[in-house]
Every structure is written in C-alpha cells, then in structure tokens.
Amino acid sequence: MSRATRAVDLVTDAGLYARWQVACKALADAQRAAVADAREADTSVRDAAAAVRAVEQEMHASTVRFTLRAQPRSQWAAWVAKHPPRDGDEVDKMFGLDVSALDSAIVAMVERVEDADGTVLDVDIAAEWDQLADDMSQPQWETFASAVLEVNQGKGSEGVPFSRAASAATRRSEQT
C-alpha cells in the first residue's frame, strides 16, 4: 500500500504575477472595445490574449513541483503530539497542532522535486527549506501547509476521487 501524495506547484518568479494581472486587464479592455466596435479586422483581442498566454508560459517555466507523501499514521500522531496547539492561538486550536511548526513536517514529507519539464531536481530539502520558506509569501507557504494537513488529516486521502468535469468530458466524447 502506498500513502497519499499531494503535488504543490511553486512559481519561483512570483513577480510575473503582476505582469499577468496587467496583461489580463489589457485583454478585458480589448474585449470591451471589441464589443463596442464590431470590425472583424481588429486583432486586439487575439493579441491581448496571446500576451496573457505568453506570461502564463513564463510562469509555467519558472514553476517547481514538490510531491509530498503522507506520513504513516503513527508518525503523524507522534508529530502532532510533539507539536500541540499553542495556548490562545485560534488557528492552532482549529487544526489541533502548532501550525508554526509545520515546516519540519513539510521537510519530512517532500518526496520529489521537479522542474516545469518534469525533470527530477537534486535538492537537499532539509538544507534548503528554511531559506526557501523565508523567500515565500505567506500564501505560497500556506499552500504547502494545507497540502500537509490535507494529506495527513483531511479529506481526499480515504477513497477514490471523482471528477465531474472529466466524467462529463468523456461522456460527451464517447460514440453513441
């Protein structure tokens, strides 16, 4: 039996997000202008969409994927017992553990790190995590923390998932 895993994607060039927002606004502006001016020769919407896609491709190229594997139940229980909720901390109380200590669990659970092309990277997570975590924004770090909590004590690890979107897409494409 294999334990549950989660993939966490980290865009290492987070500054691209601002460029993406600007490109998305330009696309929305072009779409509004296209509705007002129905000339068929105008390529502004297509050009603006291409600019959005170009930034998305840059973001994809700077993405690193971390695969985290759940700890065995007894190890997770021992980790939680070692890191009880801090007195008066509502977030800790909600999760039943010291959320600020999750970095050690993240390090223990990282099984593989890949670049955007799927090439496995030779990374010493134990040596590099503290610096990497310090460089992250809070929402980036929370993505890792959420994956750890979900895979060890949340939903999604107990059975076979079902995707309505995949089911609908395959149902529509089947021969009748």
Side-chain angles (χ1 to χ4, degrees):
M1 178 170 154
S2 65
R3 292 183 309 281
T5 60
R6 290 294 180 274
V8 177
D9 290 344
L10 177 66
V11 177
T12 59
D13 187 352
L16 290 170
Y17 189 80
R19 284 187 36 217
W20 179 80
Q21 286 179 306
V22 170
C24 286
K25 182 179 181 325
L27 174 57
D29 292 346
Q31 289 171 323
R32 275 191 297 280
V35 169
D37 182 6
R39 291 179 291 164
E40 292 184 30
D42 187 11
T43 62
S44 61
V45 172
R46 186 174 39 237
D47 294 343
V52 170
R53 297 294 296 160
V55 176
E56 289 173 347
Q57 288 301 316
E58 285 183 70
M59 291 176 83
H60 174 73
S62 77
T63 299
V64 177
R65 173 167 288 161
F66 294 77
T67 301
L68 286 71
R69 182 168 301 282
Q71 293 181 338
R73 192 170 59 89
S74 60
Q75 280 183 338
W76 180 249
W79 188 92
V80 170
K82 186 177 174 183
H83 301 92
R86 295 168 289 180
D87 288 336
D89 191 299
E90 291 302 313
V91 174
D92 285 6
K93 184 178 174 184
M94 183 171 59
F95 289 110
L97 52 82
D98 180 354
V99 173
S100 70
L102 280 172
D103 285 302
S104 64
I106 294 168
V107 169
M109 292 173 54
V110 172
E111 179 177 83
R112 184 174 57 250
V113 181
E114 303 169 58
D115 67 11
D117 298 324
T119 303
V120 176
L121 303 175
D122 185 20
V123 178
D124 182 356
I125 291 297
E128 297 182 34
W129 180 258
D130 287 342
Q131 182 61 49
L132 180 62
D134 280 347
D135 288 340
M136 289 181 205
S137 67
Q138 185 66 23
Q140 288 173 313
W141 182 85
E142 286 175 1
T143 303
F144 283 90
S146 294
V148 166
L149 294 170
E150 178 183 287
V151 78
N152 283 295
Q153 65 188 37
K155 297 222 178 271
S157 301
E158 69 280 355
V160 178
F162 175 76
S163 168
R164 292 183 198 279
S167 178
T170 56
R171 191 172 43 245
R172 282 193 298 265
S173 63
E174 291 175 352
Q175 291 181 323
T176 55

